[in-house]
Amino acid sequence: MHNFLDEKSLIQLEDAVTEIEKSTSAEIVIAIAKFSESYRDVPVIFGFILSMLTLIFILFSPFDVHPWFVLPFVIIAYLIGYIICARIELFMRLFTRKERRIEQVKRGAKIAFFEESVSATKDRTGILFYISLFEKRVEILSDLGIDGKISRDKWNRLTIDLNKALSSQKPVEDFAEKLVTCIGFLSATFPPGEENPDEIMNRPRIRGG
């Protein structure tokens, strides 16, 4: 999934933004985050569970374990669980609720909208496509000049298509392909003006996390 962050992928996404903006006065911003939240509590919980299972095993094990070794074994189990969960995204995902991940992506998108100055256009026509790689979700936020002038159904359909692209065999290519389909409804409502200035850079922004 992190291939979204390599140079080839960033150029491909930038080219998609450039293609869209040739046909519309809207300004497209792509922001990519590895995580929308630190989820620091998850490795702690996983480490605690593993340490408790280790303690239970020692207490009820048919093997004779010297009392002096009980605490070190429990601590080691905790550290192993913490490290495994912190480094392997599969475990992180298993121990976080889907509702939490969705909510954090929405929150991350709102923060990115302001921090990446999506609203810094003359006619408030910025649109943010926020990609959160760990959560494998996309959130779309539009500025005041766009909001309400494109039907919610169109945005929902595009969001569904982009989310599906993240789980495909070629996520970057499929995402870029689905992204440019927004030309169909953006150009009709927000056609390019005579000048059509590029007010915000087209290169995707890499968010910390």
Side-chain angles (χ1 to χ4, degrees):
M1 182 56 72
H2 288 178
N3 57 355
F4 267 84
L5 303 176
D6 62 38
E7 185 62 22
K8 180 180 177 182
S9 299
L10 295 175
I11 291 174
Q12 190 169 357
L13 294 173
E14 183 177 358
D15 290 343
V17 172
T18 301
E19 182 179 349
I20 295 169
E21 292 186 352
K22 289 178 180 178
S23 303
T24 177
S25 59
E27 286 289 328
I28 307 299
V29 177
I30 296 178
I32 306 172
K34 292 181 180 180
F35 295 82
S36 285
E37 188 200 347
S38 64
Y39 300 100
R40 290 190 182 95
D41 59 308
V42 180
V44 173
I45 294 172
F46 186 73
F48 177 77
I49 291 173
L50 191 59
S51 66
M52 289 299 99
L53 290 175
T54 301
L55 179 59
I56 292 171
F57 175 80
I58 292 173
L59 293 177
F60 294 96
S61 171
F63 305 106
D64 187 19
V65 179
H66 195 284
W68 285 3
F69 292 110
V70 174
L71 183 58
F73 282 158
V74 170
I75 293 174
I76 291 171
Y78 172 83
L79 293 175
I80 291 174
Y82 184 95
I83 293 171
I84 289 175
C85 190
R87 294 190 177 184
I88 301 178
E89 291 184 4
L90 175 62
F91 284 93
M92 289 280 284
R93 194 171 287 110
L94 287 174
F95 280 82
T96 54
R97 293 181 298 107
K98 180 179 179 180
E99 293 78 10
R100 177 181 178 180
R101 297 196 299 270
I102 292 174
E103 188 59 34
Q104 291 305 318
V105 173
K106 290 180 178 179
R107 180 175 177 272
K110 291 176 182 177
I111 294 173
F113 187 90
F114 290 102
E115 291 186 349
E116 303 299 343
S117 301
V118 180
S119 60
T121 63
K122 179 182 177 182
D123 298 319
R124 304 291 297 274
T125 54
I127 305 172
L128 173 68
F129 291 85
Y130 177 82
I131 306 169
S132 196
L133 299 178
F134 168 72
E135 293 86 354
K136 293 186 179 181
R137 291 195 64 83
V138 178
E139 190 75 15
I140 304 174
L141 295 179
S142 57
D143 205 357
L144 296 175
I146 300 285
D147 198 27
K149 297 178 182 177
I150 302 291
S151 73
R152 195 68 251 172
D153 287 344
K154 288 186 173 67
W155 289 126
N156 289 341
R157 182 70 256 173
L158 181 59
T159 301
I160 292 171
D161 289 342
L162 293 175
N163 278 318
K164 287 181 179 178
L166 294 187
S167 299
S168 70
Q169 294 297 317
K170 300 183 295 181
V172 179
E173 291 85 347
D174 290 347
F175 183 93
E177 181 181 334
K178 294 298 182 181
L179 181 63
V180 297
T181 62
C182 70
I183 292 176
F185 56 83
L186 282 178
S187 60
T189 308
F190 300 95
E194 293 182 3
E195 296 182 359
N196 196 24
D198 192 2
E199 298 180 79
I200 305 178
M201 71 173 186
N202 296 343
R203 186 172 177 82
R205 289 87 182 284
I206 307 301
R207 304 279 300 168

